[in-house]
Amino acid sequence: MHIGVPKEIKNHEYRVGMTPTSVREMVDHGHEVTVESHCGEGIGRSDDDYRAAGARVVDDPASVFADCDMIVKVKEPQAVERKMLREGQVLFTYLHLAPDPDQTRDLVDSGAICIAYETVTGAQGGLPLLAPMSKVAGRMAVQAGAYALEHPHGGLGVLLGGVPGVDPAKVVIIGAGTVGSHATHIAVGMGADVWVLDRNPDMLEKHWQQFGRTTNSVFSTADALEHHVLTADLVIGAVLVPGASAPKLITREMVAKMKPGAVFVDVAIDQGGCSETSHATTHAEPTYIVDDVVHYCVANMPGGVPRTSTYALNNVTLPYMLALADKGYKQALQDDRHLLAGLNVCKGHVTYQEVADTLGYAYRDPLAALDG
């Protein structure tokens, strides 16, 4: 198979779909890899590094899309990239389609086979290709929140961990999953007063076993959510419904009642955000203010630490890349129901139920779409 790796073009996105190490693995399996020039600059890898690994380096993305059977990316294809996709071509990347009707329409129209990292499931449960970026984003959320809490950046002027004789900041984390647990790890390490809310008793039990009395875990009801959000200095939205739009747990009315200068970091923004006041921002302009509450809603947070993120991502995506290339996409998807769960769009059909339901498409069974 011929695999293509274009340079990412989303605002301040410095990750890359394949490292030179991954390229070498593909080449050793007998496959051809073409990468766009300078695609690895953000992770400190040169075109010569990719050539040494066996890749062909080209100067423009059009050559990558035109020549290759499978495109491997990190972020969802931008509008100009979607125009270059063709019928029967495999796209393997994060997609986050439910809150993105324009992208979904373009992918359906392309006739491509579009496999989303974020809905591939794991044999032991969970979402193994989403997990590394969730870990990064959870840790970054506390860093971003602490920075935004500084008065020059619009915040309360509160130090997250306080100092002897002065209370630390109250950090409220909505969701005890991967993002929430890694955010908790950093917030506890910085000395914050940490409160974690979740509706799943098993997740709260797991959280207690991991963190014990260093945090406060709360079963999330409407009353509990409102109380803790309104008394928080920093709120981190860490909710996820796989493949679907995030629920709007924080209402506009709640935001209006929050502390002036409080900070809200919405890690769920890739799936539309968990507040009615959320809209996606970029690393270039990461924050905005609604009712005196600082909102940080960067849709590609891990892109800010591309070296860590890219290598963590490739550790989990490489086995799936090899399966798709070694077996061909159809056989690989038929053989692995967990990889099949990542198939969101196939040959003009939406093959992921939550995306179809959210955006009003007729759902097509993924196996039927592959046969068609």
Side-chain angles (χ1 to χ4, degrees), residues 18-25 43 45-46 49-50 53 311 314:
M18 293 177 69
T19 64
T21 300
S22 295
V23 169
R24 181 177 175 182
E25 289 291 316
I43 64 167
R45 304 308 295 266
S46 68
D49 292 330
Y50 280 93
Y311 283 96
N314 271 236

Side-chain angles (χ1 to χ4, degrees), residues 311-335:
Y311 283 96
L313 181 60
N314 271 236
N315 287 345
V316 294
T317 56
L318 179 58
Y320 296 94
M321 293 182 214
L322 288 169
L324 289 163
D326 289 349
K327 298 180 178 182
Y329 75 84
K330 185 174 181 180
Q331 192 65 53
L333 289 163
Q334 290 173 335
D335 287 352

Side-chain angles (χ1 to χ4, degrees), residues 3 42 70 86 103 109 133 174 198 227 232-233 244 320 336:
I3 299 97
M70 178 166 68
R86 66 175 188 275
Q103 184 195 177
D109 290 346
M133 298 304 94
I174 307 171
D198 202 290
H227 168 73
D233 300 305
Y320 296 94
D336 186 346

